[in-house]
Amino acid sequence: MVDNFGDIGVCWRLARQLAAEHAISVRLWVDDLRSAERLVPALDAGQASQRVDGVEIRRWEAPFLALEPGQVVVAAFACRLPEVFVEAMARRQPRPVWINLEYLSAEGWVADCHALPSPHPRLPLVEHFFFPGFDGRTGGVLREADYAVRRAAFSEEGFRASVGLPARTPGELCVSLFSYENAGLADLLDCWSRAEHPVTCLVPEGRVLASLGKAFGVGHLEAGGRLRRGALSVQVLPFVEQRRYDALLWACDLNFVRGEDSFVRAQWAERPFVWHIYPQDEDAHLVKLDAFLERFGAGLDAGSGSALADFWHAWNREQGVAEAWPAFEAALPALSEHAERWAAQLEAAGELASKLVQFCKLKIE
């Protein structure tokens, strides 16, 4: 796990789908059970082995246990498998299907590299790259089979009541903010406080609370905290477990998300969103940001497309946010319509868990 919640978020979602929807016996190795416990409240970080939602969860620690590998081995996000385990894979008959599950990217080369084999330099093993992506030539992205049913049953009024929010007021803009620390947040909050309509900002506990507290001049914020300034009302929510996060996205008109898992959920939510991509050295992350903007923005009118790109860049560069906000806000109705079309494109491209199962079955057979 590289960044607290993103990696385990994707791995846990995939593991749960494989068990629940494909009747596959799944063992998930995790090196940071404390972070995993936030997303999966039923998990006990003090136990080295346990079963949650039909998935066996094991603590990854050194020295690694000597055990029989499964029929399929998925190494997620460039994690290096212990050498003792790789050697056990080579001894197993038949040898496991070895999958290297990569990070999600919209870059053009992803489709060309998806499913390519990589022979081990020493052992009789072949690793296959599996790239999530946004078109049919990639591995797709995760979405549970019951997603549409849960969405149809969702009640915004019920959700707002569950977090202590009153009924929506006329003209209210409701925003969720799940982000890394961001120096541009103070200027954005100032814009919202001077709005001509009510703005409600829901902030799950996380790293952005440091920036939020600094902007309001308060030293410590925690779940239940409420802040007001002009037209803006801010409410700090308890850390949202994975199963409830979709409801937060559905309840809002605009969602700020970060990393990979929440980024994908925001796309399925069919709402305008802002992606805070994980920062990398030498601004390498901005290449990935632009690749997605180019793909996602196709079909938008020029004005909305420019407003989208300008605000996303301002948010990720943490400067110029206030200047970019008015045009972005004006584009929200167009972006809302576009979000529905985009979700339909994602669905047509295929779903990751199903594609992974199909790929592995072909290799096994």
Side-chain angles (χ1 to χ4, degrees):
M1 287 167 50
V2 175
D3 172 47
N4 293 334
F5 305 118
D7 293 358
I8 185 57
V10 174
C11 292
W12 175 240
R13 196 178 295 279
L14 173 60
R16 204 156 38 86
Q17 275 190 246
L18 292 174
E21 299 175 13
H22 300 277
I24 291 173
S25 176
V26 181
R27 175 184 293 147
L28 176 63
W29 292 95
V30 182
D31 66 344
D32 183 357
L33 289 173
R34 288 296 176 193
S35 291
E37 196 174 36
R38 302 293 301 279
L39 286 172
V40 191
L43 181 67
D44 181 354
Q47 293 190 36
S49 177
Q50 58 201 290
R51 182 170 292 276
V52 179
D53 288 355
V55 177
E56 180 187 355
I57 302 176
R58 302 284 290 271
R59 181 188 292 124
W60 182 337
E61 53 192 355
F64 198 80
L65 296 174
L67 44 75
E68 177 79 4
Q71 196 172 28
V72 175
V73 174
V74 179
F77 306 127
C79 72
R80 185 178 179 85
L81 296 179
E83 192 60 31
V84 64
F85 188 76
V86 175
E87 291 173 353
M89 289 166 59
R91 292 192 299 269
R92 189 188 191 279
Q93 293 297 331
R95 295 186 181 94
V97 178
W98 184 3
I99 301 294
N100 183 341
L101 180 63
E102 288 283 356
Y103 286 100
L104 173 64
S105 177
E107 294 169 281
W109 56 265
V110 165
D112 295 329
C113 294
H114 176 61
L116 287 181
S118 175
H120 192 279
R122 181 174 56 86
L123 298 172
L125 293 168
V126 177
E127 185 178 21
H128 286 86
F129 294 100
F130 201 92
F131 280 90
F134 302 101
D135 63 56
R137 298 190 301 141
T138 68
V141 293
L142 292 169
R143 191 178 94 152
E144 296 82 1
D146 67 347
Y147 182 87
V149 173
R150 291 191 295 113
R151 178 68 187 272
F154 171 71
S155 164
E156 181 180 316
E157 294 80 6
F159 176 83
R160 290 178 71 103
S162 73
V163 297
L165 277 181
R168 184 184 283 263
T169 58
E172 176 186 341
L173 176 68
C174 188
V175 182
S176 76
L177 178 64
F178 182 53
S179 167
Y180 304 113
E181 301 88 342
N182 196 307
L185 178 60
D187 289 341
L188 182 58
L189 294 172
D190 188 56
C191 287
W192 290 346
S193 70
R194 292 183 285 104
E196 296 179 355
H197 51 78
V199 179
T200 299
C201 182
L202 304 177
V203 189
E205 286 181 306
R207 288 169 55 171
V208 76
L209 287 187
S211 299
L212 180 64
K214 184 177 181 180
F216 273 88
V218 297
H220 179 68
L221 288 171
E222 58 186 19
R226 296 174 186 264
L227 302 165
R228 290 193 67 91
R229 182 192 296 166
L232 172 64
S233 299
V234 178
Q235 181 169 333
V236 181
L237 303 179
F239 188 89
V240 181
E241 64 176 281
Q242 194 176 70
R243 286 182 178 276
R244 294 195 67 219
Y245 186 63
D246 288 326
L248 173 62
L249 299 175
W250 298 334
C252 294
D253 307 300
L254 172 64
N255 295 298
F256 285 72
V257 293
R258 48 165 266 197
E260 182 168 322
D261 188 53
S262 61
F263 170 51
V264 171
R265 305 315 288 189
Q267 293 172 59
W268 288 127
E270 301 181 17
R271 295 281 192 268
F273 65 99
V274 180
W275 183 28
H276 198 179
I277 189 171
Y278 187 74
Q280 294 178 308
D281 293 337
E282 300 179 356
D283 287 340
H285 59 294
L286 296 181
V287 175
K288 296 180 180 180
L289 185 79
D290 285 332
F292 181 77
L293 279 169
E294 181 179 358
R295 190 182 291 266
F296 178 72
L300 275 171
D301 64 88
S304 298
S306 294
L308 173 75
D310 290 347
F311 188 79
W312 279 32
H313 273 277
W315 184 246
N316 279 277
R317 293 187 183 279
E318 304 183 29
Q319 56 188 10
V321 173
E323 292 79 5
W325 170 253
F328 183 70
E329 182 179 29
L332 288 179
L335 292 173
S336 183
E337 293 180 5
H338 180 70
E340 295 181 20
R341 296 192 296 268
W342 175 255
Q345 287 181 234
L346 275 189
E347 189 169 5
E351 191 276 320
L352 191 148
S354 297
K355 283 192 162 188
L356 179 61
V357 169
Q358 292 166 7
F359 179 84
C360 292
K361 280 185 174 180
L362 289 175
K363 296 299 176 183
I364 291 170
E365 294 169 358

